[in-house]
């Protein structure tokens, strides 16, 4: 799928520089994996030329939240299939969540994941390690060893660290390594439902998960982050109350960041009317006011990043009663298009700001250098066609799993390909 | 007796929410017809001879399962029981496997009761056979609503403008959801009453008023629809004790005496005597609980008849 190109000219496109917040119509010359020219008129004799007229060129996207399912559920996804799906969606780097079987709670497990990522040779895998041993929420995991092996953040994602003393220890301990804790916020006792608690759950007779469960857990973790001075990152913010809390915490100077997922700002719980388990996700799809609050949070920067929470599940696992189905939906391949329509075409933000939510902002959360397209820098970029309309087809997904809620939906804007470090190109012109 | 052509739009009966007004009218008119059949010396018609249905009950039920089985036999159809204990479900068979096996057996209809909301719809999307929802989790129990409404219409003439109060565990009751929807459709003013812990969030959006104090509303209504309260809700923190529940929300002897003169009482059964109702209610002349059971067979005959493609013009089940 990748093609190594020594000398490549991306001609006639518009470069989006999210760090500078602007677009530039320039040609991009890439030689031996580095950007060597960025100008209107570049002579590039002997270079492979990709016609980028009408297209946009942006830094590769960074996903703070995906589930690659390896080890333990390779029938749903593997590192190789998941990172291939990532490239299809424009993500050149993905944070792999540790709730695998066994969980990624040791140096050896982190090394295993990094190794799987390297041998696949597609999107770069940045493992997130467990903050507690086996995600049990009781004792600290060996965070130092995992940092040495390449873990970028720590999380018991899928579980909230219910014991406040343990969460405090996690936050304090991570401070030594300047690594953030990623919090999955869901307060114990309010976490047993399968759908957002509200008029729809009442109508459908589904057990409800109230927004207060997410917000109350987020509030505690925000206060603990403030207390310990550690960076806290809130996963998949789904409701207005949590957005408000993040806004308040940032105003107060707490080192908190937050992510939101495309399904939470494009769908509501009304989609559950047919009990289609492809719409079952955690946190659940919420009401219209929550959806709008998440969009507003992204627009004003309260929510820093767009993350996918790509959660593949096999057809067999999903084709059961709603209560019995696992929560989660694939998202790597649709995130850019959904975000583009909901945030840019809707007029909520301009293109460079939107790209920043997929690049600079998530990179900063995990301490990566700000992704830029600049002379001398390694080329890690994507080519986007913002005019292309395409229909999400379940059977054409690159992921091993098919559990998308967007099948049949017409999307606007598409990732056409890009370049990975080392001058390896996929998509446009490469295949 | 005039019999309208059955509403051909009715493919499955999953919930009151999916029924058109014409469907409801057709079910009632056929139920009336079948009720008169049930009064004959030989209460059987050949309307669905050769048809086979499966009673797929994943949850315990006495009256609903036997009511459907009886309805099928009164129509000369066969109804196979699918007993949970003897079935492969215990061996890990999924609902999808069950659906495929039923499909392969080529039965005409499936009557399903399941502990999870949406289970009936799940089957309906995977079977050529018609599906009747006999209760899916906390979602709907449409034949109960239809037989309740049928019973009330028989007694009151119409539900238009009548005040109906549902009392008890609204949150976990599929009967409550179906009844609220159907009573509203038939023009009744509906209210619910119970401890706030057993009232589902935003239930008023289904079109009903909410009361937390029974005595503030009970004596003004035309219909009291009591619901079963399960003891396990105490452990879950819904109310502190049976004693307190009965005191606050039970249809006690004292409350019974204060009901409006023409008020009627219904209950989907089985009743927890001494919890939601004192035993004296069973002697109350306006308690329609046994009428509900009798009418259940007629209403289920109507539902099976309409879904199985029976046609009054063709094989005339009406009394001669």
């Amino acid at each position: 799928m990748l093609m190594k190109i020594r000398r490549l000219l991306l001609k006639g496109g518009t470069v989006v520089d999210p760090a500078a917040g602007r677009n530039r119509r320039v040609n991009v010359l890439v030689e031996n994996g580095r950007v060597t020219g960025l100008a209107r008129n570049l002579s590039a004799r002997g270079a492979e030329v990709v016609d980028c007229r009408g297209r946009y060129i942006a830094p590769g996207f960074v996903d703070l939240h995906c589930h690659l399912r390896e080890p333990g559920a390779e029938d749903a996804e593997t590192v190789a299939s998941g990172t291939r799906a990532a490239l299809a969606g424009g993500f050149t780097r993905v944070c792999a969540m540790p709730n695998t079987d066994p969980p990624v709670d040791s140096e050896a497990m982190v090394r295993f994941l990094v190794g799987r990522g390297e041998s696949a040779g597609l999107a770069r895998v940045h493992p997130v390690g467990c903050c507690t041993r086996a995600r049990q929420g009781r004792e600290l995991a060996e965070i130092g060893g995992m940092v040495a092996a390449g873990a970028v953040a720590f999380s018991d994602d899928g579980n909230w660290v219910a014991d406040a003393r343990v969460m405090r220890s996690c936050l304090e301990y991570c401070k030594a390594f300047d690594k953030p804790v990623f919090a999955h916020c869901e307060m114990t006792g309010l976490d047993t439902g399968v759908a957002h608690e509200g008029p729809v759950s009442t109508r459908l007779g589904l057990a409800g998960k109230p927004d207060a469960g997410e917000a109350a857990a987020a509030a505690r973790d925000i206060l603990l982050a403030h207390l310990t001075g550690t960076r806290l990152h809130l996963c998949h913010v789904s409701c207005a109350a949590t957005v408000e809390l993040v806004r308040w915490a940032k105003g107060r100077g707490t080192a908190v960041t937050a992510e939101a997922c495309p399904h939470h700002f494009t769908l509501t719980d009304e989609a559950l009317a047919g009990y289609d388990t492809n719409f079952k996700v955690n946190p659940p799809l919420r009401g219209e006011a929550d959806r709008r609050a998440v969009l507003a949070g992204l627009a004003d920067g309260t929510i820093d990043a767009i993350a996918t929470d790509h959660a593949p599940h096999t057809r067999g696992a999903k084709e059961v009663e709603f209560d019995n189905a696992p929560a989660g939906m694939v998202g790597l391949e649709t995130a850019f298009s959904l975000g583009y329509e909901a945030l840019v075409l809707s007029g909520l933000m301009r293109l460079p700001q939107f790209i920043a939510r997929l690049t600079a902002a998530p990179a900063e959360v995990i301490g990566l250098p700000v992704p830029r397209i600049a002379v001398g820098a390694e080329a890690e970029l994507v080519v986007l066609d913002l005019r292309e309309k395409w229909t999400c087809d379940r059977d054409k997904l690159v992921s091993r799993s098919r559990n998308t809620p967007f099948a049949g939906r017409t999307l606007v804007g598409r990732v056409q390909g890009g370049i990975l470090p080392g001058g390896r190109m996929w998509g446009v012109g490469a295949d | 007796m005039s019999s309208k052509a059955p509403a051909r739009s009715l493919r499955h009966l999953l919930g009151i929410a999916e029924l058109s007004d014409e469907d409801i009218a057709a079910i009632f008119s056929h139920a009336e017809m079948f009720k008169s059949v049930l009064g004959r010396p030989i209460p059987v018609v050949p309307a669905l001879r050769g048809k086979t249905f499966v009673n797929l009950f994943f949850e315990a039920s006495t009256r609903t399962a036997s009511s459907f089985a009886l309805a099928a036999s009164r129509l000369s159809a066969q109804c196979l029981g699918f007993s949970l204990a003897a079935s492969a479900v215990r061996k890990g068979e999924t609902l999808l496997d069950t659906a495929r096996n039923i499909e392969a057996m080529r039965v005409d209809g499936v009557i399903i009761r399941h502990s999870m909301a949406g289970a009936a719809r799940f089957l309906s999307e995977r079977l050529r056979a018609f599906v009747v929802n006999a209760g899916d989790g906390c979602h709907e129990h449409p034949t109960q609503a239809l037989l309740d409404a049928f019973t009330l219409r028989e007694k009151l003439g119409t539900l238009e403008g009548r005040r109906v109060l549902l009392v008890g565990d609204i949150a976990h009751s599929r009967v409550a959801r179906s009844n609220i929807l159907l009573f509203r459709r038939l023009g009744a003013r509906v209210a619910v009453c119970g401890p706030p812990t057993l009232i589902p969030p935003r239930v008023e959006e289904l079109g009903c008023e909410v009361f937390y104090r029974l005595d503030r509303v009970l004596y003004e209504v035309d219909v009291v629809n009591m619901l079963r309260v399960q003891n396990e809700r105490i452990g879950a923190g819904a109310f502190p004790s049976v004693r307190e529940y009965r005191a606050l929300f039970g249809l006690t002897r004292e409350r019974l005496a204060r009901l409006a003169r023409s008020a009627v009482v219904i209950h989907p059964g089985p009743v927890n005597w001494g919890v939601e109702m004192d035993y004296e209610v069973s002697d109350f002349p306006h308690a329609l609980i046994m009428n509900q059971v009798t009418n259940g067979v007629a209403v289920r005959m109507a539902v099976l008849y309409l879904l199985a493609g029976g046609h009054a013009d063709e094989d005339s089940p009406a009394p001669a």
Side-chain angles (χ1 to χ4, degrees):
Chain A
M1 140 180 228
L2 292 171
M3 191 181 197
K4 192 149 183 169
I5 304 219
R6 230 176 54 75
R7 200 170 146 78
L8 176 76
L9 184 68
L10 301 170
K11 196 174 176 187
T14 301
V15 171
V16 186
D17 185 345
R22 62 196 166 95
N23 301 335
R24 279 199 296 167
R25 281 281 295 276
V26 285
N27 297 334
V28 182
L29 183 63
V30 178
E31 291 176 295
N32 299 316
R34 288 199 178 273
V35 176
T36 53
L38 207 55
R40 284 210 180 232
N41 297 305
L42 276 175
S43 66
R45 202 163 303 153
E48 190 106 15
V49 176
V50 175
D51 181 3
C52 289
R53 277 175 301 175
R55 297 171 181 175
Y56 288 76
I57 298 155
F61 306 155
V62 179
D63 187 10
L64 289 175
H65 195 139
C66 76
H67 298 273
L68 299 180
R69 299 292 186 230
E70 192 175 340
E74 288 86 348
D75 51 346
E77 196 79 286
T78 62
V79 170
S81 67
T83 52
R84 188 172 296 120
L87 290 189
F91 292 93
T92 56
R93 292 164 188 265
V94 293
C95 293
M97 284 296 169
N99 61 337
T100 48
D101 183 17
V104 180
D105 65 351
S106 66
E107 182 175 342
M109 288 297 297
V110 173
R111 286 200 196 286
F112 164 79
L113 262 193
V114 169
R116 297 300 278 174
E118 281 168 358
S119 60
L122 302 162
R124 169 93 177 259
V125 177
H126 293 287
V128 174
C130 295
C131 30
T132 72
R133 215 177 284 268
R135 297 173 60 241
Q136 293 292 307
R138 288 196 284 268
E139 309 156 62
L140 285 182
E142 289 183 335
I143 287 170
M146 288 191 273
V147 170
V152 293
F154 294 91
S155 176
D156 281 1
D157 184 46
N159 292 340
W160 186 53
V161 180
D163 185 326
R165 183 188 58 79
V166 175
M167 185 59 171
R168 179 185 182 168
S169 300
C170 292
L171 285 161
E172 281 175 340
Y173 198 74
C174 280
K175 210 168 146 179
F177 309 100
D178 193 27
K179 297 295 177 204
V181 173
F182 283 19
H184 169 112
C185 292
E186 194 169 14
M187 186 160 273
T188 313
L190 298 175
D191 56 353
T192 51
V194 296
H196 171 58
E197 182 172 309
V200 174
S201 68
T202 289
R203 196 172 80 220
L204 297 177
L206 294 171
K209 243 180 215 199
D211 61 344
E214 175 182 307
R220 187 207 70 177
D221 288 348
I222 283 168
L223 293 171
L224 289 177
H226 198 87
L227 177 71
T228 58
T230 305
R231 288 192 290 132
L232 172 74
H233 176 73
L234 299 180
C235 295
H236 38 55
V237 169
S238 70
C239 63
T242 311
V243 175
E244 276 301 310
L245 285 164
V246 175
R247 200 172 278 133
W248 169 78
K250 285 186 168 181
R252 196 173 176 234
T254 311
V256 61
T257 54
E259 72 190 27
C261 308
H263 47 268
H264 286 130
F265 60 75
T266 57
L267 297 171
T268 67
D269 57 351
E270 292 289 347
L272 303 182
Y275 297 94
D276 182 343
T277 58
N278 288 312
F279 292 91
K280 183 173 174 182
V281 67
N282 192 23
L285 302 178
R286 300 204 185 268
E288 178 64 11
D290 290 314
R291 187 186 76 84
R292 287 175 182 276
V294 170
L295 281 173
L298 276 163
D300 72 10
T302 300
I303 297 172
D304 302 81
I306 295 168
T308 66
D309 196 6
H310 177 80
H313 290 292
T314 61
R315 209 181 121 208
K318 277 286 193 182
E319 210 171 345
V320 296
E321 302 87 334
F322 197 85
D323 286 353
N324 281 343
M329 38 182 68
V330 293
L332 284 166
E333 297 169 64
T334 47
F336 168 75
S337 309
L338 290 164
Y340 177 63
E341 186 170 1
L343 291 162
V344 181
L345 289 183
S346 69
L348 278 174
M349 55 172 69
R350 293 183 313 115
L351 184 67
Q353 272 182 295
F354 168 59
I355 296 295
R357 302 261 176 274
L358 288 164
T359 57
E364 199 182 337
V365 170
I366 53 170
L368 296 177
V370 176
R372 293 202 64 174
I373 297 173
V375 173
E378 190 145 48
E380 183 172 337
L381 52 84
V382 291
V383 177
L384 311 167
D385 186 337
L386 300 181
R387 291 166 307 188
E388 184 176 340
K389 285 200 167 116
W390 60 290
T391 302
C392 176
D393 180 345
R394 204 184 287 291
D395 297 322
K396 287 187 182 155
L397 291 174
V398 175
S399 166
R400 286 199 81 166
S401 289
R402 303 275 170 263
N403 54 309
T404 176
F406 298 108
R409 180 158 169 154
T410 300
L411 303 171
V412 186
R414 193 170 199 181
V415 178
Q416 299 206 309
I419 301 174
L420 287 176
R424 295 167 303 148
M425 186 164 78
W426 85 93
V428 272
D431 43 29
Chain B
M1 177 183 262
S2 73
S3 60
K4 289 171 216 150
R8 287 292 180 178
S9 65
L10 201 56
R11 171 84 180 88
H12 304 283
L13 178 59
L14 303 180
I16 299 299
E18 285 91 359
L19 287 181
S20 69
D21 291 347
E22 293 71 35
D23 293 332
I24 295 167
I27 291 167
F28 285 151
S29 66
H30 282 77
E32 269 170 43
M33 194 161 72
F34 288 125
K35 188 165 183 189
S36 69
V37 168
L38 292 175
R40 295 179 190 171
I42 300 172
V44 180
V45 286
L48 296 184
R49 194 163 44 203
K51 300 280 186 186
T52 309
F53 310 135
V54 175
N55 244 347
L56 196 60
F57 275 60
F58 292 91
E59 263 188 355
S61 154
T62 0
R63 73 197 67 202
T64 307
S66 29
S67 181
F68 272 108
L70 198 56
S73 77
R74 298 298 192 222
L75 293 164
S76 306
Q78 281 196 307
C79 191
L80 307 175
F82 182 100
S83 147
L84 178 62
S87 81
V89 175
R90 290 264 166 105
K91 299 173 196 158
E93 185 178 293
T94 64
L95 188 55
L96 180 64
D97 292 330
T98 306
R100 284 177 173 157
N101 279 286
I102 292 170
E103 185 68 18
M105 289 184 227
R106 302 191 186 286
V107 299
D108 301 290
V110 177
I111 299 140
I112 178 178
R113 164 161 301 182
H114 197 285
S115 61
M116 294 175 195
R121 175 184 284 268
F122 180 96
L123 276 194
S124 74
E125 286 165 351
R126 287 162 180 83
L127 294 180
R128 265 170 293 181
F130 71 77
V131 173
V132 179
N133 181 6
D136 62 329
C138 304
H139 177 222
E140 281 225 44
H141 189 357
T143 58
Q144 181 71 45
L146 289 161
L147 75 89
D148 286 352
F150 184 82
T151 304
L152 292 172
R153 278 163 41 112
E154 210 173 47
K155 191 79 180 174
L156 305 173
T158 176
L159 278 169
E160 188 74 46
R162 304 288 184 165
R163 289 201 66 181
V164 182
L165 177 68
L166 288 87
V167 184
D169 182 356
I170 310 296
H172 303 94
S173 174
R174 49 198 173 213
V175 175
R177 283 171 181 75
S178 290
N179 283 14
I180 292 168
L181 293 174
L182 184 57
F183 295 165
R184 288 269 303 151
R185 286 274 285 278
L186 298 174
R189 289 171 59 196
V190 180
V192 299
C193 181
T197 46
L198 293 177
I199 303 287
R202 315 262 296 266
V203 70
E204 57 279 7
E205 291 179 34
L206 295 179
C208 57
E209 280 184 277
V210 178
F211 293 88
Y212 302 129
R213 306 282 287 272
L214 184 58
D215 292 317
R216 292 211 178 143
V217 60
L218 183 65
Y219 312 113
E220 298 161 15
V221 302
D222 303 300
V223 178
V224 183
N225 186 356
M226 299 303 293
L227 297 170
R228 184 180 165 79
V229 171
Q230 282 155 335
N231 285 335
E232 57 262 34
R233 302 290 171 219
I234 303 174
F239 54 91
S241 67
V242 166
R243 186 172 162 271
E244 182 152 316
Y245 183 87
R246 178 181 169 275
L248 295 174
F249 300 102
L251 188 53
T252 57
R253 211 186 326 186
E254 293 73 23
R255 289 196 173 106
L256 193 64
R258 291 177 61 195
L259 290 185
R261 190 178 296 268
S262 58
V264 299
V265 177
I266 60 174
H267 189 298
V271 179
N272 273 321
W273 295 112
V275 185
E276 68 261 20
M277 299 200 291
D278 281 5
Y279 194 72
E280 282 71 11
V281 180
S282 61
D283 302 326
F284 178 61
H286 294 168
L288 305 179
I289 299 165
M290 291 304 115
N291 308 42
Q292 289 172 272
V293 177
T294 308
N295 287 335
V297 178
V299 165
R300 289 178 176 120
M301 285 172 79
V303 166
L304 292 174
Y305 177 77
L306 291 170
L307 286 171
H311 201 296
D313 300 338
E314 290 160 15
D315 41 22
S316 185

